Amino acid sequence: MRGNYNAYGAAESNAYELVPIGKYLVKVKKVITTDQAGQPLVTKNGDPTCRCQLVICGGPYNGRIIFHQVVFFKDKNSKGHGMTKHFLKVLGEQYDQAADTFDFDTGRWVDLNEFIVEVKHEDYKGKIQAKVANVDYANPRTDETLNEMGNVII
């Protein structure tokens, strides 16, 4: 791409304001399943993974992006195995309860359920980052529940 950028009046900055700690209604905006070379994303342990861009739906941070990594653990005893199961259920993927399996397709995640994320801040390699600490269903809520949840706007 070539172009001309008018930066008049903009203060130069390399800082990005973190989404504050709290709960937010989000929807999957984009799912990245491959690296820049087109190879499937995997963890250091060789587990398939994907990176989700979640967009905040409403409130003062409407439209802001939160990143979330989903790992599909091969070792079913991994501590994150249950978190992946919960994420897929909250998202609305097809779940066979009898077999305890999912028929999922990351390509359709942008069309599935909105859900609630709890954002926390953590230090990663000396830098504070926003992290999705929890996900939950976005059920219809009363005004009292909205007041208790703070940032969540439905």
Side-chain angles (χ1 to χ4, degrees):
M1 168 187 357
R2 293 181 54 96
N4 182 286
Y5 178 70
N6 181 350
Y8 178 79
E12 189 170 334
S13 171
N14 66 353
Y16 180 77
E17 181 186 346
L18 288 176
V19 172
I21 294 169
K23 293 183 179 182
Y24 300 91
L25 178 68
V26 298
K27 184 153 182 62
V28 175
K29 179 179 181 177
K30 182 178 180 181
V31 181
I32 300 163
T33 58
T34 59
D35 64 17
Q36 291 179 346
Q39 296 300 311
L41 293 174
V42 294
T43 66
K44 291 183 281 186
N45 294 332
D47 296 317
T49 187
C50 64
R51 296 186 185 120
C52 299
Q53 290 182 5
L54 309 176
V55 63
I56 296 175
C57 304
Y61 299 97
N62 185 50
R64 291 284 304 271
I65 301 295
I66 302 169
F67 297 95
H68 181 53
Q69 181 170 333
V70 179
V71 179
F72 302 95
F73 295 94
K74 295 175 188 174
D75 178 359
K76 302 310 178 199
N77 294 317
S78 296
K79 67 179 184 176
H81 179 57
M83 292 169 42
T84 300
K85 178 180 181 177
H86 183 65
F87 176 80
L88 292 172
K89 287 177 98 173
V90 166
L91 195 58
E93 277 293 7
Q94 297 173 7
Y95 177 58
D96 180 339
Q97 188 170 1
D100 202 15
T101 59
F102 288 89
D103 176 26
F104 74 90
D105 178 356
T106 59
R108 68 177 175 226
W109 287 6
V110 296
D111 298 322
L112 296 180
N113 297 335
E114 292 180 332
F115 54 98
I116 305 293
V117 295
E118 181 180 359
V119 172
K120 295 191 176 183
H121 293 169
E122 74 174 11
D123 185 305
Y124 180 73
K125 296 184 179 179
K127 201 171 186 183
I128 301 298
Q129 294 184 337
K131 175 186 173 156
V132 173
N134 207 336
V135 299
D136 208 350
Y137 297 93
N139 297 323
R141 301 182 189 284
T142 65
D143 287 340
E144 292 85 17
T145 305
L146 285 175
N147 290 336
E148 291 170 16
M149 294 182 74
N151 295 319
V152 176
I153 305 295
I154 298 179

